Amino acid sequence: MKQIYTYGNYLKDKFACKVYKVGINISGFTCPNIDGTVAKGGCTFCENDSFSASTNEIKELKGFYLNLDSKENPFLQKQLEQLEIQFNAISKRQKDVYGAEKFLVYFQ
Ligand code: SF4
C-alpha cells in the first residue's frame, strides 16, 4: 500500500508539531461565483460565515463590497484591523481547544 505524504504531515515534520489552519476573510472582497460576475450563490460547500470568527468588529463591514474600479480603498485600515481580530480569535480558540502552537493563515 502506497502512503500519501500530505502537506499537513510535511508541516508536522518541519515544525515538530501540528500546524493549524486559520481561515480568515476580508470584508469587502467577494467572489465572482457569488457576486454575479460569473454566477450567483457560490459553491454549495462555501458558507463563509460558518467557519469565520464572529465578533461585532467583524460584523461591522459585512455586506459591504469594494468598487473594483476604484483606485483607493477607504476601508483598508478597518479591513487590516479585522484580519488581526479574526486571526487572534480563531488562533485563541485553537490554542484553548486543541493546544495549537503554530498556525498557517489562509484567505477564504
Ligand atoms: S468556494 Fe466559495 S470563494 Fe471559492 S469559488 Fe466557490 S463560492 Fe467562490
Side-chain angles (χ1 to χ4, degrees):
M1 180 181 194
K2 192 172 183 178
Q3 290 189 328
I4 297 172
Y5 190 52
T6 65
Y7 188 57
N9 285 337
Y10 165 78
L11 292 173
K12 193 172 186 177
D13 289 345
K14 184 165 181 68
F15 295 105
C17 66
K18 182 174 170 64
V19 177
Y20 286 78
K21 287 184 282 186
V22 177
I24 56 178
N25 67 312
I26 303 175
S27 296
F29 283 27
T30 182
C31 164
N33 288 325
I34 293 173
D35 67 10
T37 305
V38 174
K40 280 198 179 237
C43 302
T44 54
F45 52 81
C46 183
E47 184 55 59
N48 207 296
D49 287 344
S50 68
F51 39 72
S52 297
S54 180
T55 67
N56 287 336
E57 293 91 339
I58 293 168
K59 287 178 187 163
E60 199 173 302
L61 284 181
K62 285 219 167 157
F64 149 81
Y65 293 103
L66 289 174
N67 177 353
L68 298 178
D69 296 327
S70 174
K71 294 197 182 313
E72 293 186 18
N73 176 3
F75 302 100
L76 180 60
Q77 189 57 43
K78 193 72 178 169
Q79 290 170 322
L80 293 174
E81 289 169 17
Q82 281 192 346
L83 294 180
E84 187 173 355
I85 290 166
Q86 288 177 62
F87 175 79
N88 289 339
I90 295 168
S91 63
K92 180 182 182 328
R93 187 173 61 220
Q94 291 174 331
K95 273 184 202 166
D96 293 347
V97 175
Y98 305 111
E101 298 171 19
K102 301 232 182 252
F103 305 95
L104 174 70
V105 173
Y106 73 97
F107 292 94
Q108 302 278 341

